[in-house]
Amino acid sequence: MAATRGELGDKLSNLSLFADLSAAELESVAHIVDERRFAEGERILRQGLSGSGFYVILAGEAIIRVDGKEYGRLGRGDFFGEISALLGDPPVADIVAARELHCAIIPGPALEQFMVGHPQVMFRMLQSEARKLRTATRWRS
């Protein structure tokens, strides 16, 4: 069952990605995003084939798989799909629900306008991307 827009705004307010937004901005965001639940084992993004959306995990856990090999897991507050949504390229990994997964989704074509309209969210997303890059390149130092 989908949450009401007020409930969705409350869920978003508890995630670091949206922590800088006012109550009014959160309510506005709750009206922009779609909400969806995925069953355990359901593939949300398919490596190299399809997918165009920015997914924020509200609850549950997802597995990142590349060529069938697990590369990590994502949980509440994590997001995925940003690379293909921003670049217009097919996803570089499969994203599979490890257990029931509840996501807020911004369709790919709407992501640029959303980020420009919510620079605090864009900044938090860039911080997260920088942390991922640092982790991925840490082995070099």
Side-chain angles (χ1 to χ4, degrees):
M1 172 189 287
T4 66
R5 295 299 167 192
E7 292 170 339
L8 180 56
D10 288 344
K11 289 179 182 177
L12 293 173
S13 72
N14 292 318
L15 303 178
S16 63
L17 192 61
F18 300 97
D20 301 321
L21 298 184
S22 69
E25 289 172 313
L26 285 166
E27 187 175 327
S28 169
V29 170
H31 283 86
I32 295 170
V33 301
D34 295 324
E35 219 183 331
R36 181 150 177 221
R37 293 181 189 275
F38 301 91
E40 180 179 340
E42 187 173 354
R43 196 178 324 189
I44 299 104
L45 293 182
R46 195 173 291 266
Q47 181 183 1
L49 293 180
S50 63
S52 178
F54 178 67
Y55 296 75
V56 179
I57 298 175
L58 298 172
E61 186 177 48
I63 301 168
I64 304 166
R65 286 190 186 138
V66 178
D67 298 326
K69 181 180 176 188
E70 184 175 326
Y71 274 84
R73 291 182 177 239
L74 302 169
R76 184 178 165 274
D78 290 331
F79 55 84
F80 57 92
E82 74 280 11
I83 295 171
S84 64
L86 291 170
L87 301 178
D89 292 340
V92 296
D94 286 336
I95 303 293
V96 180
R99 53 188 161 103
E100 185 183 44
L101 187 67
H102 182 199
C103 293
I105 307 164
I106 299 171
L111 185 58
E112 180 180 353
Q113 184 178 359
F114 175 82
M115 289 296 174
V116 170
H118 299 89
Q120 304 96 331
V121 176
M122 181 166 48
F123 181 73
R124 293 259 183 177
M125 185 175 107
L126 288 172
Q127 285 181 313
S128 181
E129 295 295 326
R131 285 186 202 101
K132 290 177 188 175
L133 184 59
R134 180 182 62 200
T135 299
T137 60
R138 186 166 279 159
W139 61 272
R140 291 181 178 212
S141 57

